[in-house]
Amino acid sequence: MGRVGELARLTEALARPPAVLLVEGEAGSGKSRLVAEAVRALGGTSGDGTTKDGTPPAPGAASPRRPVLLGRCHPLREPEPFGPVVDALRDAAALLPPPAELPPSTGALRLVLPDLAAQLPAAPPGGGTLLSARRLLAQGVRALLTALDAPVLVVEDLQWADDATLDLLVRLARDLPPRLALVVTYRPEDLPPGAPAPGAAFRPAPARTGGHGAGAGHGAVGAPVRLERLEPLAEREVAELARSVLGPAATPELAQVLYERSQGLPLAVEEDLRTLAEGTLAELTPAERTPAERAPASPGRPTADRPTVERTGGTGGRAPTGDLAAVLAGAEVPRGLRDAVTERLARLGGNGAAVVAAAAVLGVPADEELLTAVAGLDAEAGADGLTEALHAAVLRETAPDRYAFRSPSARQVAQGRVAGPRRRVLHQRAVAALGTREPRPLARIAEHTLAMGDRPAWQDLAQAAADQAAALGDPGGARRMLRGLLDEPDLDPRRRGRAALALARLAADDVDPAASVQVLSGMVADPRLPVADRGEIRLALGFLMAVHSGNRAGFDRIRESLEELEERPVRAARAMVAIAMDERDGAGRRAGEWLARAEGLLAANPDEDVSAAVRATTLTFQARDADPAVWDRLDELPRDSERPEVMRQTTRALYNAGEIAIELGYDRRSANLLEESRRLARLTGIPYLECYSRLALIRLDMLAGRWDLVEPRFARLGAEFDDLAMAGAERSLLFGRLAAGRGRLALAREEFEIAARFGQRESQVTVALRAAAGLGGLQLLEGDIAGAADTVGPALATARQADAWARTAELLPVAVEALLATDGRAEAGAVTEEATESLTDRGAPAVTASLHLARGLLLDADGDPEAAEAFTRARDHWQDIGRPYEAARADERIAAALAARDRARAAERMAAAERVYLELGATTDTARCRKLRRDLDLGGIGSPGRRGYGKRLSPRERQVAELLAQGTGNQDIAQALFLSPRTVEHHVANVLAKLGTGRAGTAQALARADAEDAAAEGGG
């Protein structure tokens, strides 16, 4: 994982001896694993016929088996001269030719290889001095390696090699036997001080004269030297590794914690994953696990295509494996990483240890001056200590004159080695040193004060630090300090009230609402608070619940705040604006009334910020009502106000209008609005609006046919924003559609049901309508007609109650089809007419397209030939909007409607639909399209006739293989591809036989087969 390029280069070099290969990387970076994989790919074997790692050679290895000799250097106080090379040669017993066929010089090895003495010639004369003995030994080693059949000599951990071993290997490298590949691994941070880099030491000697060419005489002078430096894994590679082990439990937030703990060190990642796979998942009962979790957790499992942990922002959804990210964040440092860090720390001198202890206490990147002051050293000793820590790879330079540990876990290990009394002294020095800087970093000073145990002083500093952070434009930092302050059990009531009110006023843009909701919920119950302060806190709590957590119970808190805010009319007006946004249970009909009341209060108590909220909400309602005038009014919004709340409301209005524009079918306009809202949110520091804008842009990607971008963009977004309800709802809606299109029907159902639960809680009806459309469409696909009708019925009632027909583009065709299938022809017609009438004088291209489709369904049910024309109008609208999948669905309907009377045009439309499905990767739709084409006898789409595929997968087998690789069961495959279970069993057997794997290895085998096909085509 993450070593594909390095593996390819090493394998290629091993296959073309002579070669010297140096693999450099810190402890735990995967050097040994990489070399083992390269040897395995080459078909290399040890003396007993197994590969270097003890397993049989990989099937279909690219080259004949080659002997592999492995030796390791050890960190011994007095290492044995030539020890690793001698250890490697001991494994050559089964590989040696008869003694008579060996060069006489190999007899020099009798003394160091007594177990092989009987297989070696007699010892040569000489060797009276240490120098001559070493020379004879070097000649014997080279001669023995030359006599073997293209060996690979691997020497691990060169940083611990003794001088004799190092000299021997350098001599060997500079006069390499013609068929030998020498592989050396080492840790650069553990090389002896002043030692030259191995790359320079192993550089080939100058070419000799005398006619010796490469591979002649005493060897190939100038054999190529390749150096591979193993860098830490990137965050995306850590996430991929996590998914391969944990499957759907590997959420983006878990991958982020894994990366932060390990900083990409493979050993640390692997140990954490092993702990999670063997511990946390094992604690779940089978009934609590998702289907993917019930499969064995192992590195061989196929990569999951999405996380299933439901992130609800406090909405009560189930996380199938618990909060693995939280479990991991509080776990001990992985043993391998702990041992590696401890080993480095133990080698530090006094100054180096002092600087490292200071860095451990400071906890954030620090400059040399601060590290030196906290360590209690003078400037020269501080520089020496820092240099020592850098050379030992304990610290690294993160920016010019900024130094920190290589990972949080390394800091944790170092901090644990600093005794309590010593830590207190270091914290005191940190407070003194930081106190001399301007501006004073109050948050950091407060942190060190708290670590010293001085809670009263910390409370004063925390309040001041929160005020400083807010003034400097860091509301997130201010909120963190205030939440910590409010957690204090003995906090003075007046300070508690002040801190709670400050937190409430900062809560609107909170990207971590769950933490603030918990604190504010406790505060509103405090009877010591002034009534008006309690009202403001209750208003902020309602905002967080309703807006961030998608919980419309927050509107109850906002309504309750009105009475408490009588003496603060501006805040009461803000509460009224918020209440107007609730469109559930008939509340939407009073929206205009609430806005009018707010404007009345503002007339007597002008306030620019709340007036901006009224303006943004009014524009949102115009967009929601599909009022064409709204688009010009959006251009009038202020974009350069110095008031943060005015800018926040501008950004909010742009986002709301952009998101609603998707529902209406103005996709290009929506993209422009969302890009602007995303940019403004970033500039003005409103993270939740940035997140929501990017979510909507991902949805536009999918609607435009860019399905392959959805999952990676969600993964990146999830790593940044992990606790917003809308992120969970949108993820489930889009991932549900992806899963349905790709044939993973059980997964699609799970996603749509999660989205439906979100929709039930939210104050806006859009998620509920889309979830019903997704689930109802899936039920129709599965043949559950009654279930589909039960799903769409309440959704239609919700649309009617909220007058949300302009946002029913996804729901209407599904509802009409479900009603027609349950003999509800009259109701289907009435719904279509009601939606049509509601859209008079409104601009909603998407719903217009859906209404054409719905009318086509009604006409088709009546046997009216005009159905094809209605479907054609729908298709044309979808093409104008820019949604290829919806246009293809309409084309498919056109073909079915025309099949009986215009076969040529029907075949043309069916072929067009099928091409789009193939391009999108819509497996289920492709299979349905092909089945319908066969049922209607419309012929193929340029098929050359049946052919034999030999060992390659046929197109149908390819579809089956892709579904198997995603963990799809036979029953789901049968439904997705419109095949019988018996036929699926036949295809599955063929696929597994051709790929030479079991079900669990399908993903890897399929990727390998694709690579081989690509290589074959390239070679041709």
Side-chain angles (χ1 to χ4, degrees):
M1 193 70 71
R3 304 289 189 228
V4 175
E6 293 91 337
L7 179 60
R9 290 189 293 272
L10 282 181
T11 305
E12 180 183 8
L14 284 174
R16 298 181 179 180
V20 178
L21 311 174
L22 307 177
V23 182
E24 173 185 294
E26 63 181 298
S29 60
K31 301 183 295 298
S32 297
R33 175 62 182 271
L34 176 65
V35 172
E37 290 294 338
V39 170
R40 178 179 170 80
L42 192 69
T45 63
S46 62
D48 60 2
T50 62
T51 59
K52 174 187 175 287
D53 59 354
T55 62
S63 346
R65 297 180 180 181
R66 290 173 58 186
V68 179
L69 307 174
L70 170 64
R72 289 188 173 87
C73 306
H74 301 283
L76 303 176
R77 198 170 283 183
E78 295 184 6
E80 177 185 355
F82 314 114
V85 177
V86 169
D87 289 343
L89 293 177
R90 285 197 187 105
D91 291 336
L95 307 171
L96 292 175
E101 298 179 17
L102 287 171
S105 59
T106 59
L109 302 178
R110 277 174 167 265
L111 183 62
V112 294
L113 293 171
D115 293 342
L116 300 184
Q119 296 178 256
L120 297 172
T129 66
L130 179 61
L131 183 61
S132 61
R134 287 189 175 183
R135 184 176 294 112
L136 285 173
L137 189 63
Q139 291 174 355
V141 168
R142 187 186 183 284
L144 185 64
L145 291 171
T146 303
L148 298 178
D149 183 20
V152 178
L153 174 61
V154 180
V155 178
E156 297 262 33
D157 293 320
L158 187 72
Q159 73 277 357
W160 292 321
D162 61 283
D163 290 342
T165 298
L166 190 58
D167 286 344
L168 172 61
L169 292 174
V170 170
R171 284 173 179 269
L172 188 63
R174 293 189 174 189
D175 188 17
L176 209 62
R179 292 174 56 77
L180 174 68
L182 173 62
V183 184
V184 174
T185 73
Y186 66 95
R187 308 179 191 174
E189 70 274 11
D190 289 335
L191 291 170
F202 283 89
R203 189 175 298 119
R208 300 176 181 175
T209 59
H212 292 297
H218 291 303
V221 177
V225 177
R226 174 177 290 280
L227 173 63
E228 286 292 343
R229 291 188 175 91
L230 300 192
E231 302 295 338
L233 299 178
E235 187 169 355
R236 60 177 175 78
E237 292 166 339
V238 171
E240 186 179 352
L241 182 57
R243 285 195 298 270
S244 74
V245 175
L246 298 178
T251 59
E253 52 268 33
L254 175 62
Q256 185 179 23
V257 173
L258 277 168
Y259 180 74
E260 289 172 351
R261 279 170 59 86
S262 67
Q263 289 299 292
L265 191 65
L267 175 64
V269 179
E270 193 172 284
E271 290 188 351
D272 273 342
L273 288 173
R274 186 179 296 113
T275 298
L276 291 173
E278 295 175 357
T280 308
L281 289 179
E283 294 171 1
L284 296 173
T285 65
E288 290 176 312
R289 302 188 189 188
T290 65
E293 288 165 346
R294 286 194 283 271
S298 72
R301 278 182 43 198
T303 300
D305 69 347
R306 59 102 194 175
T308 60
V309 174
E310 185 176 331
R311 292 179 284 111
T312 62
T315 62
R318 181 181 75 87
T321 57
D323 191 350
L324 294 188
V327 169
L328 190 59
E332 292 185 357
V333 177
R335 179 178 176 180
L337 180 60
R338 184 173 65 246
D339 291 347
V341 174
T342 301
E343 183 182 307
R344 293 177 195 170
L345 292 173
R347 293 199 299 270
L348 294 173
N351 291 340
V355 169
V356 168
V361 165
L362 287 168
V364 295
D367 56 51
E368 181 179 343
E369 181 185 0
L370 182 59
L371 286 169
T372 299
V374 176
L377 302 173
D378 60 35
E380 184 176 353
D384 290 344
L386 180 56
T387 301
E388 186 181 2
L390 291 170
H391 180 80
V394 177
L395 300 181
R396 63 189 176 97
E397 190 170 13
T398 59
D401 195 29
R402 289 293 183 275
Y403 305 93
F405 287 89
R406 299 177 69 81
S407 71
S409 297
R411 182 218 171 191
Q412 189 177 338
V413 174
Q415 194 172 26
R417 290 170 59 90
V418 183
R422 179 66 177 164
R423 277 201 308 273
R424 181 178 175 82
V425 170
L426 295 174
H427 283 300
Q428 287 173 334
R429 290 178 185 162
V431 169
L434 291 169
T436 64
R437 303 200 164 189
E438 289 295 338
R440 294 174 67 210
L442 294 177
R444 294 178 63 189
I445 294 173
E447 180 183 343
H448 291 293
T449 302
L450 181 61
M452 291 160 49
D454 190 349
R455 304 197 81 83
W458 174 77
Q459 291 175 5
D460 291 337
L461 283 164
Q463 184 71 63
D467 294 342
Q468 182 187 61
L472 293 175
D474 180 17
R479 285 191 292 265
R480 284 191 295 274
M481 296 303 301
L482 292 169
R483 287 196 293 260
L485 190 59
L486 290 169
D487 280 341
E488 287 285 276
D490 59 345
L491 194 64
D492 179 80
R494 285 174 297 179
R495 175 168 280 168
R496 182 178 297 278
R498 178 185 169 196
L501 191 58
L503 179 61
R505 289 171 176 169
L506 289 168
D509 301 323
D510 201 343
V511 76
D512 181 19
S516 292
V517 164
Q518 183 177 1
V519 174
L520 296 180
S521 295
M523 293 305 304
V524 294
D526 189 342
R528 296 170 294 182
L529 280 176
V531 172
D533 286 354
R534 188 183 302 112
E536 281 213 47
I537 294 169
R538 199 185 304 276
L539 172 59
L541 174 62
F543 266 121
L544 289 176
M545 292 174 64
V547 177
H548 293 275
S549 298
N551 183 353
R552 67 176 185 270
F555 286 101
D556 295 335
R557 306 291 84 77
I558 297 174
R559 291 186 186 93
E560 292 166 4
S561 73
L562 284 176
E563 187 175 342
E564 297 167 324
L565 291 171
E566 284 185 1
E567 63 183 68
R568 296 182 184 173
V570 171
R571 301 312 299 159
R574 186 64 188 91
M576 292 171 185
V577 175
I579 293 169
M581 290 298 297
D582 185 7
E583 62 174 340
R584 285 289 194 150
D585 304 323
R589 297 192 185 97
R590 297 189 58 198
E593 180 183 326
W594 283 113
L595 282 183
R597 288 180 61 183
E599 288 175 328
L601 287 175
L602 291 173
N605 305 274
D607 183 271
E608 189 175 348
D609 291 348
V610 181
S611 294
V614 171
R615 179 173 58 237
T617 304
T618 300
L619 290 171
T620 298
F621 290 164
Q622 277 190 280
R624 210 161 66 180
D625 291 339
D627 182 350
V630 69
W631 313 118
D632 290 336
R633 291 199 59 192
L634 288 169
D635 294 336
E636 300 169 4
L637 286 168
R639 264 76 165 182
D640 56 358
S641 173
E642 295 181 358
R643 300 186 65 84
E645 179 62 14
V646 172
M647 291 304 298
R648 190 176 84 86
Q649 292 300 332
T650 291
T651 307
R652 170 178 164 251
L654 291 170
Y655 162 72
N656 286 347
E659 196 238 354
I660 294 168
I662 300 177
E663 304 301 326
L664 301 180
Y666 294 112
D667 290 10
R668 298 174 187 84
R669 175 175 281 152
S670 171
N672 292 333
L673 292 170
L674 292 168
E675 282 291 354
E676 186 176 13
S677 67
R678 181 200 60 77
R679 180 179 59 81
L680 285 179
R682 172 65 65 89
L683 289 174
T684 54
I686 312 172
Y688 87 92
L689 281 175
E690 180 189 354
C691 173
Y692 288 171
S693 299
R694 287 168 60 184
L695 279 171
L697 286 166
I698 292 172
R699 184 183 174 197
L700 281 175
D701 280 330
M702 181 164 180
L703 291 174
R706 296 184 285 271
W707 288 17
D708 57 321
L709 298 180
V710 173
E711 290 161 312
R713 288 189 174 177
F714 252 109
R716 287 196 295 272
L717 195 62
E720 296 179 55
F721 308 95
D722 62 354
D723 202 19
L724 291 175
M726 272 188 62
E730 192 63 60
R731 180 195 61 76
S732 289
L733 287 166
L734 293 192
F735 278 48
R737 287 196 60 175
L738 278 177
R742 291 171 174 172
R744 303 194 66 189
L745 305 187
L747 179 58
R749 176 183 287 274
E750 180 186 342
E751 293 287 17
F752 288 136
E753 287 174 347
I754 291 172
R757 291 198 292 273
F758 278 112
Q760 290 168 3
R761 296 175 59 84
E762 288 193 347
S763 62
Q764 308 296 297
V765 302
T766 308
V767 169
L769 300 180
R770 291 173 59 199
L775 186 57
L778 185 64
Q779 289 166 325
L780 288 173
L781 177 64
E782 295 174 330
D784 182 10
I785 306 303
D790 290 342
T791 297
V792 302
L796 289 172
T798 296
R800 184 175 295 113
Q801 188 177 60
D803 190 21
W805 294 110
R807 287 170 279 158
T808 57
E810 293 183 22
L811 178 66
L812 274 174
V814 176
V816 168
E817 187 172 358
L819 291 171
L820 288 172
T822 53
D823 297 326
R825 169 65 177 80
E827 186 179 354
V831 165
T832 304
E833 287 307 311
E834 184 177 358
T836 301
E837 290 175 9
S838 76
L839 295 176
T840 303
D841 299 326
R842 299 189 190 187
V847 186
T848 300
S850 289
L851 283 170
H852 284 307
L853 194 64
R855 293 189 193 100
L857 292 170
L858 292 168
L859 292 168
D860 200 38
D862 295 338
D864 192 323
E866 291 297 317
E869 294 310 311
F871 292 141
T872 301
R873 285 191 290 273
R875 189 272 316 277
D876 293 345
H877 273 77
W878 287 127
Q879 287 181 338
D880 289 343
I881 293 169
R883 300 188 186 178
Y885 178 79
E886 280 76 8
R889 290 300 304 268
D891 259 334
E892 193 180 342
R893 301 278 190 187
I894 296 168
L898 289 174
R901 54 192 178 87
D902 190 343
R903 293 174 56 76
R905 187 179 166 205
E908 175 190 316
R909 298 329 313 155
M910 191 69 77
E914 190 171 339
R915 279 192 293 270
V916 172
Y917 295 149
L918 284 168
E919 290 172 4
L920 292 174
T923 306
T924 300
D925 299 281
T926 302
R928 183 191 60 250
C929 199
R930 288 174 174 172
K931 180 179 183 299
L932 186 58
R933 176 162 44 79
R934 290 193 302 270
D935 291 346
L936 298 175
D937 193 23
L938 294 178
I941 54 170
S943 172
R946 190 170 183 84
R947 51 168 285 191
Y949 290 91
K951 293 184 178 181
R952 299 181 67 180
L953 299 177
S954 70
R956 176 65 82 192
E957 288 167 347
R958 174 77 194 193
Q959 289 178 320
V960 171
E962 288 174 348
L963 290 172
L964 281 173
Q966 297 171 30
T968 311
N970 284 12
Q971 188 61 39
D972 273 355
I973 293 175
Q975 278 191 313
L977 301 182
F978 299 89
L979 301 172
S980 71
R982 183 176 295 276
T983 301
V984 168
E985 290 175 8
H986 174 73
H987 284 313
V988 168
N990 285 345
V991 165
L992 299 181
K994 288 183 178 183
L995 294 178
T997 186
R999 295 180 77 103
T1002 306
Q1004 289 83 353
L1006 189 59
R1008 188 164 56 245
D1010 287 345
E1012 291 171 358
D1013 288 347
E1017 290 175 7

